[in-house]
């Protein structure tokens, strides 16, 4: 999986993340997405009131769709963003498509209304770490844990208790440790098959062409709703979504 470099916008995210203390589990809630959850106590939680943790899932990196061979997964990274996430949500609504939103922890914390809107529309949540460090696979296990679990906590709090069901490593920088950790918290590691390259803003036509040419690679398509002007992404989705339907694809979620 290609790594995205040169994301100056994430400097602000890193700054926002400073001072965030590592947490070991997210809030305990029974949610439509995650179902009943159970596990060990959070640090500082009295022993007689353990903080539940989601049931573990496979630590294998998911690429397939739960809709089978003709299924396709739309995944949206780096938000939520107050300008572009609503635009993306509107296009998805127009075409009746559900997507998976891979959120940056501080972004979710800053825009809880958008996180709740994403959930209310029937989309799924994905943990995309605290600071989008594409070199996470070179860092200590303690650092990886902080990045993944703090973001999980922020997203779950912002959503009103709905847990992220997936974990996507920034730039695909997974490690055996990060995959096992995420899976133990009920978050299936999530890859992609088709990189739309929309982050580079190559033009709407180029984005659409890339998606069409790479669809034989597999069903999970990567788009972005933050990190800069995403107008090309919105325009590309308006072309890609109906084209995928015309090709006989149905829209689903990554396998769990």
């Amino acid at each position: 999986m290609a790594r995205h470099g040169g994301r100056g916008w994430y400097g602000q995210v890193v700054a926002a993340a400073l001072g965030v203390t590592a947490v070991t589990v997210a809030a305990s809630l029974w949610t439509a997405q995650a179902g009943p959850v159970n596990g060990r106590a959070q640090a500082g939680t009295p022993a007689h009131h353990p903080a539940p943790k989601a049931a573990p899932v496979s630590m294998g990196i998911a690429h397939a769709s739960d809709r089978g061979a003709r299924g396709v997964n739309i995944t949206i990274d780096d938000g939520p963003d107050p300008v572009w996430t609503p635009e993306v949500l509107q296009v998805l609504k127009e075409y009746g498509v559900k997507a998976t939103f891979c959120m940056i922890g501080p972004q979710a914390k800053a825009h809880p209304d958008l996180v709740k809107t994403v959930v209310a529309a029937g989309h799924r949540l994905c943990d995309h770490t605290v600071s989008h460090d594409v070199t996470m696979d070179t860092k200590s296990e303690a650092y990886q844990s902080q990045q993944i679990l703090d973001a999980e906590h922020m997203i779950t709090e912002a959503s009103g208790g709905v847990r992220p069901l997936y974990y996507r490593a920034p730039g695909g920088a997974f490690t055996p440790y990060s995959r096992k950790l995420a899976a133990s918290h009920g978050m299936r590691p999530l890859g992609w098959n088709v990189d739309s390259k929309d982050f580079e803003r190559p033009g709407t036509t180029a984005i659409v062409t890339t998606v069409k040419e790479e669809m034989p690679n597999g069903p999970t398509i990567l788009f972005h709703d933050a990190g800069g002007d995403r107008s090309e992404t919105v325009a590309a989705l308006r072309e890609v979504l109906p084209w995928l339907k015309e090709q006989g694809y149905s829209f689903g979620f990554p396998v769990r």
Side-chain angles (χ1 to χ4, degrees), residues 124-211:
R124 288 186 178 178
L125 302 177
C126 170
D127 179 336
H128 203 33
T129 74
V130 171
S131 53
H132 201 282
D133 183 352
V134 298
T135 66
M136 274 186 61
D137 54 346
T138 69
K139 304 295 178 62
S140 70
E141 290 183 355
Y143 176 84
Q144 295 176 57
S145 177
Q146 177 266 325
Q147 286 285 310
I148 296 167
L149 299 186
D150 279 11
E152 178 198 20
H153 179 72
M154 291 177 190
I155 295 166
T156 302
E157 267 203 346
S159 71
V162 178
R163 295 177 183 275
L165 296 184
Y166 307 93
Y167 162 62
R168 173 171 277 168
F174 289 102
T175 66
Y177 173 79
S178 68
R179 292 190 290 111
K180 183 177 180 180
L181 177 67
S184 74
H185 283 253
M187 297 182 290
R188 178 76 185 265
L190 176 60
W192 64 84
N193 307 104
V194 179
D195 184 352
S196 70
K197 301 293 196 303
D198 65 330
F199 196 89
E200 299 172 5
R201 287 183 283 182
T204 299
T205 299
I207 295 170
V208 173
T209 298
T210 296
V211 172

Side-chain angles (χ1 to χ4, degrees), residues 24-81:
T24 55
V25 291
S28 162
L29 285 165
W30 185 293
T31 71
Q33 285 194 28
V37 292
N38 49 72
R40 66 174 181 269
Q42 180 179 344
T45 303
H48 57 288
H49 291 302
K53 183 175 71 173
V57 295
S58 169
M59 64 180 283
I61 300 174
H63 292 90
S65 174
D66 63 6
R67 296 301 294 269
R70 296 300 290 175
V72 63
N73 308 318
I74 302 298
T75 64
I76 313 290
D77 283 18
D78 298 356
D81 179 273

Side-chain angles (χ1 to χ4, degrees), residues 1 23 28 77 88 103 106 113-114 121 147 210 231 251:
M1 294 182 233
V23 296
S28 162
D77 283 18
V88 169
M103 296 185 174
D113 54 330
L114 288 177
Q147 286 285 310
T210 296
S231 57
F251 297 93

Side-chain angles (χ1 to χ4, degrees), residues 111-121 157-160:
H111 306 289
D113 54 330
L114 288 177
V115 182
K116 291 180 177 69
T117 299
V118 166
V119 171
E157 267 203 346
S159 71

